[in-house]
Amino acid sequence: MSSSGQDAKLFARGKVAELRAELIQPATKKDKTFLGKKIALKKIVANMTMSNNDMVALFPDIIGCMEIESVEIKKMCYLYLVNYARMKPDLALKALPTLQQDLLDSNPLTRALALRTISYIHVRQFVEATVVPLKKLLKDSDPYVRKTAAFTVAKLYDHDRTMVEASDLIDRLNLMLRDENPTVVSSALAALMDIWERSETIKLTIDYTSASKIVQILPDCSEWGQTYILEALTSYVPHDTSEAAFLAERITPRLSHTNSAVVLTCIRVVLYLMNYIDSEKTISGLCAKLSPPLVTLLSKGPEIQYLALRNALLILQRRPEVLKNDIRVFFCKYNDPIYVKVTKLELIFMLATANNIKEVLAELREYATEIDVHFVRKSVRAIGKLAIKIEPAAKLCITTLLELVATKVSYIVQEATVVIKNIFRKYPNQYESIISTLCENLDSLDEPEAKAAMIWVIGQYADRIDNSEVLLEDFLDTWQDETHDVQLALLTATVKLFIQRPTKGSELVPKVLKWATEDTDNPDLRDRGYMYWRLLSSNPTAAKQVVMGEKPPITAESEKLDPLTLEEMCLVVGTLATVYLKPVHTVFRSARPRKLQESPALQKEQLPSWQAAQHAKAFSAQNGVVDGIAAVPGAAGAGAHNGDVLSEADAYFASVGGPQQMAALRLNDDGFASPNPNSYTVNANQPLGTIQPMRQVNDGRDGLGEGEGDLLSL
Amino acid sequence: MLSGVLLFNQKGELLIMRAFRQDMRPRLADVFRIQVISNAQIRSPILTLGSTTFSHIKSENIYIVGVSKGNVNSALVFEFLYKLVNLGRSYFGRFDEEAVKSNFVMIYELLDEILDFGYPQNTETETLKMYITTEGVQSQRPTIEDSSKITMQATGAMSWRRDNIKYRKNEAFVDVIEDVNLLVSANGTVLRADVNGAIEMRAYLSGMPECKFGLNDRLTLGENGADTSLGGPTGNMGGNKASKAAAGSVTLEDVSLHQCVKLSSFTNDRTISFIPPDGSFQLMNYRATENVNLPFKVQAIVNEVGKTKVEYSIAIKANYGSKLFATNVVVKIPTPLNTADISSRTSQGKAKYEPSENAIVWKIARFTGQSEFVLSAEASLTTMTNAKAWSRPPLSMQFSLLMFTSSGLLVRYLKVFEKSNYSSVKWVRYMTRAGSYEVRF
């Protein structure tokens, strides 16, 4: 093995004058290998790294070195050129002849190096000077030069797309797909995909013959080449269901590849092709093949594990039969990085059923005592959500929660309080016996969300809690310092207390109504205050009906992606968007949208979006609501509470509010995916945000909000 | 694909910055430094700001960052970053700050070769070493014939092996290395037990040898996988677990194979045939979850006595044959954060309290099969004002055990065919190590 280099001492800041002196000193006879120049150049490269822009002054001297017969020196000069050419385009032009000469060199490595270098330089003359030689090099006798030339076309397109579109370069690139060398073919495909991604005018279609041909060369490509080919395969639209099945079958050996990019991209293609396969048997056969490699990715580095887990969340929603038996593999190891743990937790939640709930709860109970606060909170939330999701397990979940409350750890108690409130809402009149336990821990509540939850409980059950007015008064003492959410909760709870126990509440209500209507600048609080005031003064019976009316039950289903997003995400398995689990364009505005292409083979009835549309149609027909709601994005998710009473109104509001809401969201998201956890809205459609701690945004519809759909999105 | 690659040291000093696209600006290095390196809150290896995404990994004491625009293939980015680290290790022995600083020019040279327009190119060390060499070895221009050989190699179907390799003695070493993972709950239930195995090979074989690899007589892959014989008896398909285990068979949940292995023939009849790279490489990775033989059984009794004392009684039994012995056995037994002092007794090995790790570290240099050792200890605690409950992290173990595989995997044969028909010597070793071997208490 080669010995380690000795260049560390050269990695230091230098002055232009000194470096120039070193660089231009004439080579002595002894120094046949130009050692002095090499050292000077290395120092310059080091300074370039440190963004020492003084180095640009050395341009003429560098050009002077380019003619030296040494590959090492040439490579360093070229690196310099790539870095600084844009700052000094005029000077850089002097290097053009050398590069052009190298493009004609008899040595293929030199030709490729020159081609690679010249096409990195974003200067008009360089770009123009590349075109003519490039046409020749695309047909070079050497495959290494040809694959470099293929990528060069994409690079030129990046510099000047009109010029490339006006030339026949893209056609020539297309012809390379018939090259005899597999590396050249995969490079040409990668280049075409790159161009396609950024172009509005170019269409990329692959017919069955070409698709089978490129699948055939898969085994002969490098791991990267295999990935490029698999990526390109999503541009093939099967017209016949047996073609799709056959192709899927042929690429499945790639699932055993050791490179996870090959594996995940292969999973993407198989999932894509399944949309065009009609045989259920074939589909379940393919699903069975996807599971093991997905789990195997969990033995890779943590970053790949994370990516695999995020994709598992996605695949699970689209094809639940994948992974259905594998809950234990997602149990956290103590030393897993936090981002891996949090995603595993989400998967455990999704895979939990009445059959494995005991095991799951024991596991979550374990997580709830770990060190990381965020992870602990999320575990507690998950327990509460499971109580809502799996009805037979509710009792068990509550027992676990009470055990956790007994630890008296402030943030655990607060988190538990929030979820227990939701459990009350889901199962009214069943578990109120635990209220007393909650009341013992009032002092540890200092977070608005937990306070609001507790206040809601006090208000709702004012008639069952003996000292409810005292408890409420304690909270009211700090009215001025509370957040609006807590104030809203206090207002509602006070009114509820008054309605249920008029004697106890009569003192508090006027005080609170006065604060809410006169001492606030929050319009919601003021309006709600006036509303209650008017209600109570004009018709106390109606007030009771309104305030203490039956609440719609809540569900835990809203953590699912909406069908259209789900479909889109499945077409980009393994990409960054799947880490965020958000529609591609909300994360990357300029990304080209992907959607399933029409074809006679497309199994429309099996698509989530089609099924959702059917469901909505049936629903609206039944309720006499205007057709077309299904087309409103967000309608499906916004109906977090599908109670019969309110669903019609909800559907209406969703259809009215939907588009604006979406528009607002886009404004919010303007280019920023999630740098600042507080900066964007979490709504029911996007429950799985980044793993950074994220505040839940309360929409304040009920004082306590309907935000519980997002329990897991913390 | 990638717009650029950045390497930083721990302090956030830039060691390498290479742009592959115009949208890679020098100031993005500052953005990463501020948003990730000096941000203690960062909890994800991926950060997207605007349309720019930073994907990073850490190796030794450096950050390796891929910068990209748009919705790129994230698996590809991370695999490339891993590959870069491996390439660095293979070139420089290590890939840390010192190695990067000592070889920064060469790293630029490598980056220029292995990425074009941000797309990973040939990253096979074997090929790269033919023309990117450390200083002094070969700085003159390669001849045109040499160059053509290199370019064929770099774009050919067999980029991992060059022509004309000659050894006087043809040898192949096979190491089967298994990491066994275990998670046991406080009441003794095994929550998960699985094996991550790897078959590592060092091949010193002349010419273009075609190798065939035979594992256990009966190799089953996946639950519904076809039972495929590698020269042994078939039948008894779908038999129950016990009979499978008895017949010297192994059930692998999944395997992934080095790119030299012909995947299609593996899919068809489970033959592992390949032309190996020269030198060492990882032939195969596999995962097993059925019939996992656990080398150690741990019994941990931990009692918190009042608020000032914790009592430990730990017993560990070796489940493997008495002729084998495990080495470097380390048992880490967590103690509460407010531990003041520990007193401990062991029947074998040494136990020491490590305050920095909040654990008793019990080391046993040699652990013979079928023996059982115990540790009893007592931790006295200082009283704390805000007594938060102790989170009781799991007890964990490290060990390595030769000539034992937890999955039961065996190498039956390795055949080497070469046109010159030379004879070759093959060696096989087995080792089982602790992956994440955790017992809750």
Side-chain angles (χ1 to χ4, degrees):
Chain A
M1 185 155 303
S2 47
S3 65
S4 194
Q6 307 292 318
D7 297 343
K9 58 184 186 296
L10 310 179
F11 198 85
R13 242 169 213 284
K15 291 209 172 67
V16 171
E18 288 166 18
L19 290 171
R20 173 176 291 135
E22 277 185 56
L23 196 60
I24 57 174
Q25 65 180 336
T28 58
K29 278 197 184 133
K30 271 194 223 152
D31 188 10
K32 271 191 190 142
T33 55
F34 310 99
L35 205 58
K37 283 204 193 330
K38 279 181 194 167
I39 288 175
L41 278 165
K42 282 182 177 178
K43 287 182 183 167
I44 295 168
V45 170
N47 277 279
M48 216 163 70
T49 306
M50 297 169 194
S51 300
N52 185 349
N53 279 338
D54 299 345
M55 292 300 126
V56 83
L58 293 168
F59 225 120
D61 312 291
I62 297 283
I63 287 170
C65 291
M66 278 184 159
E67 296 291 341
I68 297 172
E69 281 285 307
S70 157
V71 181
E72 214 185 333
I73 289 183
K74 180 165 274 170
K75 283 185 174 172
M76 285 193 272
C77 292
Y78 281 177
L79 185 63
Y80 179 95
L81 190 63
V82 170
N83 252 286
Y84 288 123
R86 281 180 80 179
M87 288 168 118
K88 294 269 180 216
D90 304 340
L91 285 170
L93 278 181
K94 294 215 176 78
L96 193 53
T98 317
L99 277 167
Q100 282 172 316
Q101 195 187 320
D102 277 0
L103 286 174
L104 305 171
D105 198 279
S106 57
N107 188 321
L109 286 174
T110 312
R111 291 200 295 277
L113 174 65
L115 185 58
R116 230 173 24 229
T117 308
I118 196 171
S119 53
Y120 275 128
I121 299 168
H122 189 67
V123 171
R124 190 173 52 84
Q125 289 90 337
F126 281 78
V127 176
E128 283 169 358
T130 317
V131 178
V132 176
L134 175 60
K135 289 185 181 176
K136 202 168 134 255
L137 293 170
L138 280 166
K139 287 186 284 191
D140 198 278
S141 61
D142 192 289
Y144 184 81
V145 178
R146 291 203 298 278
K147 72 112 187 158
T148 310
F151 280 111
T152 305
V153 178
K155 278 172 166 170
L156 291 191
Y157 191 81
D158 191 34
H159 291 306
D160 186 349
R161 65 180 61 185
T162 34
M163 183 196 78
V164 173
E165 276 168 13
S167 75
D168 59 350
L169 282 171
I170 293 176
D171 297 330
R172 285 169 189 259
L173 186 57
N174 241 318
L175 287 177
M176 293 180 91
L177 296 179
R178 296 191 203 138
D179 201 285
E180 56 181 24
N181 185 300
T183 304
V184 176
V185 177
S186 65
S187 304
L189 265 178
L192 282 170
M193 291 291 284
D194 197 276
I195 292 170
W196 173 79
E197 181 71 39
R198 282 173 290 133
S199 155
E200 282 93 44
T201 48
I202 291 160
K203 237 180 106 183
L204 191 68
T205 42
I206 298 179
D207 59 14
Y208 181 65
T209 328
S210 326
S212 354
K213 218 185 131 233
I214 58 175
V215 167
Q216 200 177 347
I217 62 165
L218 262 177
D220 300 327
C221 292
S222 75
E223 49 203 314
W224 315 116
Q226 299 191 15
T227 313
Y228 306 147
I229 287 181
L230 289 168
E231 288 205 317
L233 278 179
T234 46
S235 297
Y236 154 68
V237 183
H239 286 275
D240 180 277
T241 168
S242 63
E243 284 177 4
F246 186 58
L247 210 62
E249 203 55 50
R250 280 178 65 194
I251 60 167
T252 48
R254 299 297 118 202
L255 294 170
S256 296
H257 203 286
T258 176
N259 185 311
S260 61
V262 176
V263 175
L264 270 172
T265 316
C266 184
I267 292 178
R268 181 201 302 177
V269 179
V270 172
L271 281 173
Y272 164 73
L273 291 173
M274 275 193 224
N275 292 317
Y276 296 90
I277 297 175
D278 61 354
S279 150
E280 269 174 44
K281 196 164 157 267
T282 314
I283 288 187
S284 66
L286 287 169
C287 281
K289 284 185 180 168
L290 294 186
S291 231
L294 204 53
V295 175
T296 295
L297 293 180
L298 298 183
S299 50
K300 288 258 177 185
E303 296 83 9
I304 292 290
Q305 286 183 40
Y306 178 50
L307 186 65
L309 290 165
R310 302 299 292 179
N311 279 283
L313 280 173
L314 182 68
I315 295 167
L316 203 59
Q317 291 180 50
R318 180 70 181 91
R319 301 277 175 195
E321 54 271 49
V322 181
L323 295 171
K324 62 175 179 233
N325 299 321
D326 284 334
I327 196 164
R328 285 185 175 196
V329 298
F330 300 115
F331 286 180
C332 298
K333 294 179 184 161
Y334 191 71
N335 290 324
D336 279 337
I338 186 65
Y339 51 87
V340 169
K341 280 189 178 174
V342 169
T343 313
K344 280 185 173 172
L345 180 60
E346 290 185 24
L347 275 163
I348 293 173
F349 172 77
M350 287 180 75
L351 288 166
T353 60
N355 296 326
N356 59 20
I357 186 74
K358 272 202 177 138
E359 210 178 339
V360 167
L361 281 177
E363 197 62 20
L364 295 180
R365 169 86 178 72
E366 196 70 35
Y367 301 160
T369 54
E370 282 204 13
I371 302 196
D372 190 281
V373 176
H374 168 58
F375 182 58
V376 168
R377 283 171 172 271
K378 215 171 148 134
S379 307
V380 178
R381 282 215 168 198
I383 298 174
K385 268 202 100 173
L386 284 173
I388 293 165
K389 182 181 158 190
I390 306 171
E391 291 208 30
K395 181 104 188 125
L396 217 55
C397 295
I398 289 169
T399 316
T400 313
L401 282 173
L402 289 179
E403 278 170 40
L404 289 170
V405 168
T407 61
K408 305 266 178 202
V409 178
S410 156
Y411 53 84
I412 296 184
V413 174
Q414 310 213 40
E415 210 60 50
T417 309
V418 174
V419 292
I420 288 176
K421 180 210 77 182
N422 292 326
I423 295 176
F424 286 163
R425 294 199 49 192
K426 167 81 181 178
Y427 307 107
N429 306 318
Q430 285 186 46
Y431 299 109
E432 281 75 7
S433 54
I434 63 175
I435 290 176
S436 57
T437 320
L438 286 185
C439 290
E440 284 163 25
N441 293 292
L442 286 185
D443 293 342
S444 48
L445 305 183
D446 55 15
E447 291 160 20
E449 202 188 351
K451 275 188 185 172
M454 191 61 219
I455 293 166
W456 183 88
V457 171
I458 297 173
Q460 188 67 22
Y461 301 106
D463 54 341
R464 296 188 215 180
I465 307 173
D466 288 340
N467 56 345
S468 48
E469 79 283 0
V470 183
L471 297 177
L472 211 51
E473 252 189 297
D474 281 349
F475 279 110
L476 285 169
D477 282 345
T478 48
W479 169 274
Q480 299 296 342
D481 308 324
E482 300 294 354
T483 63
H484 293 312
D485 288 337
V486 178
Q487 289 178 343
L488 283 165
L490 277 170
L491 172 61
T492 305
T494 315
V495 174
K496 283 176 177 171
L497 171 74
F498 174 69
I499 287 172
Q500 295 176 81
R501 306 171 79 176
T503 45
K504 304 272 184 189
S506 55
E507 268 179 52
L508 295 178
V509 167
K511 183 168 76 176
V512 174
L513 283 178
K514 197 166 149 58
W515 285 341
T517 49
E518 290 174 15
D519 295 348
T520 184
D521 49 6
N522 181 285
D524 287 343
L525 190 59
R526 202 185 52 222
D527 287 356
R528 195 185 293 182
Y530 277 126
M531 188 188 76
Y532 283 143
W533 202 324
R534 191 64 55 85
L535 260 175
L536 289 171
S537 57
S538 57
N539 188 346
T541 331
K544 180 166 188 178
Q545 272 171 3
V546 170
V547 179
M548 295 308 296
E550 200 177 317
K551 309 277 183 300
I554 55 171
T555 62
E557 288 309 308
S558 53
E559 75 276 0
K560 296 227 164 108
L561 290 170
D562 79 85
L564 276 173
T565 309
L566 180 59
E567 262 164 54
E568 189 195 13
M569 303 306 302
C570 284
L571 297 176
V572 293
V573 163
T575 63
L576 289 170
T578 60
V579 170
Y580 297 107
L581 286 177
K582 288 166 142 207
V584 179
H585 69 266
T586 61
V587 187
F588 303 103
R589 267 180 306 166
S590 58
R592 193 159 173 154
R594 314 215 172 204
K595 58 172 196 237
L596 280 171
Q597 297 298 317
E598 271 302 329
S599 126
L602 185 62
Q603 306 295 308
K604 277 205 205 74
E605 302 78 36
Q606 303 302 322
L607 294 178
S609 61
W610 191 87
Q611 286 169 348
Q614 289 305 308
H615 185 261
K617 240 186 227 164
F619 175 80
S620 59
Q622 189 187 333
N623 291 277
V625 178
V626 214
D627 215 15
I629 285 171
V632 177
H641 35 84
N642 284 324
D644 288 339
V645 198
L646 285 188
S647 46
E648 235 177 88
D650 276 349
Y652 173 74
F653 281 121
S655 70
V656 174
Q660 287 101 319
Q661 211 179 327
M662 288 305 280
L665 204 77
R666 208 161 308 162
L667 274 182
N668 255 343
D669 267 359
D670 205 35
F672 278 80
S674 64
N676 177 356
N678 298 322
S679 76
Y680 71 87
T681 321
V682 179
N683 78 359
N685 285 335
Q686 299 175 310
L688 306 155
T690 57
I691 57 141
Q692 290 174 339
M694 210 189 288
R695 290 250 168 264
Q696 185 172 359
V697 177
N698 216 323
D699 58 9
R701 258 183 273 169
D702 179 41
L704 298 174
E706 301 289 341
E708 40 279 6
D710 304 323
L711 292 189
L712 271 184
S713 66
L714 246 194
Chain B
M1 274 325 297
L2 287 171
S3 292
V5 172
L6 304 168
L7 264 62
F8 291 91
N9 68 8
Q10 203 86 1
K11 284 182 277 179
E13 285 164 2
L14 196 56
L15 303 176
I16 295 283
M17 173 169 69
R18 174 69 213 251
F20 294 96
R21 298 191 174 214
Q22 307 166 51
D23 47 27
M24 173 70 200
R25 305 283 176 179
R27 73 174 174 81
L28 289 177
D30 300 324
V31 174
F32 181 81
R33 184 183 304 117
I34 295 161
Q35 298 286 345
V36 178
I37 299 181
S38 42
N39 180 357
Q41 300 289 306
I42 203 80
R43 296 160 68 100
S44 161
I46 300 172
L47 175 73
T48 302
L49 295 167
S51 58
T52 307
T53 302
F54 299 92
S55 310
H56 78 272
I57 61 171
K58 282 188 83 174
S59 161
E60 315 258 351
N61 52 3
I62 51 175
Y63 289 86
I64 299 127
V65 191
V67 183
S68 59
K69 297 266 175 177
N71 191 25
V72 302
N73 190 328
S74 184
L76 190 73
V77 173
F78 282 117
E79 281 287 344
F80 173 77
L81 297 181
Y82 293 157
K83 193 67 114 187
L84 183 59
V85 172
N86 283 334
L87 201 56
R89 287 201 184 124
S90 133
Y91 260 91
F92 317 122
R94 281 177 310 165
F95 200 58
D96 54 8
E97 180 179 358
E98 203 192 319
V100 171
K101 275 188 171 169
S102 302
N103 298 284
F104 66 95
V105 175
M106 184 131 158
I107 292 171
Y108 275 118
E109 196 179 340
L110 279 171
L111 281 174
D112 188 52
E113 188 58 44
I114 59 178
L115 282 174
D116 192 358
F117 198 39
Y119 284 92
Q121 306 293 308
N122 172 41
T123 46
E124 291 298 323
T125 322
E126 193 61 22
T127 316
L128 289 169
K129 279 189 175 166
M130 289 168 75
Y131 60 112
I132 299 184
T133 46
T134 34
E135 192 176 350
V137 180
Q138 189 186 29
S139 53
Q140 72 275 36
R141 286 167 60 133
T143 64
I144 294 174
E145 294 82 69
D146 285 348
S147 296
S148 302
K149 242 182 224 164
I150 293 167
T151 58
M152 287 316 289
Q153 176 81 26
T155 59
M158 220 190 304
S159 52
W160 59 85
R161 190 178 179 93
R162 61 191 157 84
D163 268 341
N164 294 326
I165 295 172
K166 281 202 181 68
Y167 287 100
R168 199 182 303 156
K169 194 175 169 192
N170 289 294
E171 283 182 301
F173 299 86
V174 177
D175 284 338
V176 178
I177 300 171
E178 298 199 333
D179 286 334
V180 52
N181 300 309
L182 172 73
L183 184 60
V184 179
S185 77
N187 58 18
T189 340
V190 174
L191 293 177
R192 58 178 292 195
D194 56 53
V195 172
N196 283 326
I199 298 181
E200 313 247 358
M201 211 173 143
R202 277 168 297 149
Y204 306 111
L205 301 166
S206 315
M208 280 290 169
E210 174 110 32
C211 299
K212 269 207 174 124
F213 207 75
L215 298 174
N216 300 44
D217 285 348
R218 286 161 22 77
L219 170 70
T220 317
L221 189 60
E223 279 167 274
N224 317 318
D227 211 33
T228 322
S229 114
L230 290 172
T234 45
N236 196 18
M237 259 187 60
N240 61 30
K241 278 187 195 176
S243 73
K244 271 190 201 168
S249 67
V250 63
T251 307
L252 301 182
E253 204 67 17
D254 188 36
V255 300
S256 49
L257 298 156
H258 186 270
Q259 64 167 320
C260 67
V261 179
K262 292 171 186 141
L263 291 178
S264 43
S265 65
F266 179 75
T267 316
N268 291 338
D269 54 13
R270 295 279 175 268
T271 2
I272 301 174
S273 79
F274 56 99
I275 295 171
D278 192 35
S280 67
F281 67 101
Q282 197 167 64
L283 177 67
M284 166 173 162
N285 284 298
Y286 58 91
R287 195 157 54 75
T289 53
E290 271 188 53
N291 305 318
V292 175
N293 302 313
L294 296 170
F296 293 100
K297 188 167 162 43
V298 181
Q299 243 184 338
I301 303 168
V302 180
N303 285 321
E304 289 172 62
V305 185
K307 295 212 164 186
T308 54
K309 204 162 78 171
V310 181
E311 288 173 352
Y312 296 87
S313 165
I314 316 284
I316 298 180
K317 169 137 207 280
N319 271 338
Y320 41 87
S322 53
K323 283 183 184 153
L324 302 180
F325 60 89
T327 51
N328 299 324
V329 179
V330 180
V331 188
K332 218 163 118 180
I333 307 148
T335 54
L337 302 179
N338 56 336
T339 302
D341 192 31
I342 297 277
S343 65
S344 62
R345 271 181 306 120
T346 57
S347 64
Q348 182 84 12
K350 276 186 185 150
K352 203 179 157 203
Y353 172 52
E354 298 284 353
S356 58
E357 296 185 54
N358 288 310
I360 303 170
V361 178
W362 177 19
K363 290 183 181 167
I364 304 159
R366 190 183 159 110
F367 204 130
T368 317
Q370 298 301 323
S371 51
E372 177 167 350
F373 299 130
V374 290
L375 169 143
S376 49
E378 206 178 280
S380 41
L381 313 177
T382 55
T383 39
M384 292 211 301
T385 42
N386 55 338
K388 192 197 147 186
W390 176 36
S391 69
R392 294 173 85 114
L395 173 154
S396 61
M397 271 188 92
Q398 292 296 318
F399 54 81
S400 52
L401 175 58
L402 289 174
M403 299 315 287
F404 179 90
T405 52
S406 275
S407 66
L409 183 114
L410 278 175
V411 178
R412 279 269 180 265
Y413 60 83
L414 169 64
K415 292 180 185 157
V416 179
F417 307 96
E418 219 275 337
K419 51 178 187 282
S420 67
N421 234 340
Y422 56 72
S423 66
S424 50
V425 190
K426 300 104 173 177
W427 308 86
V428 185
R429 278 194 307 186
Y430 299 94
M431 180 162 75
T432 292
R433 300 180 299 201
S436 142
Y437 209 83
E438 297 179 343
V439 178
R440 293 174 184 160
F441 53 81

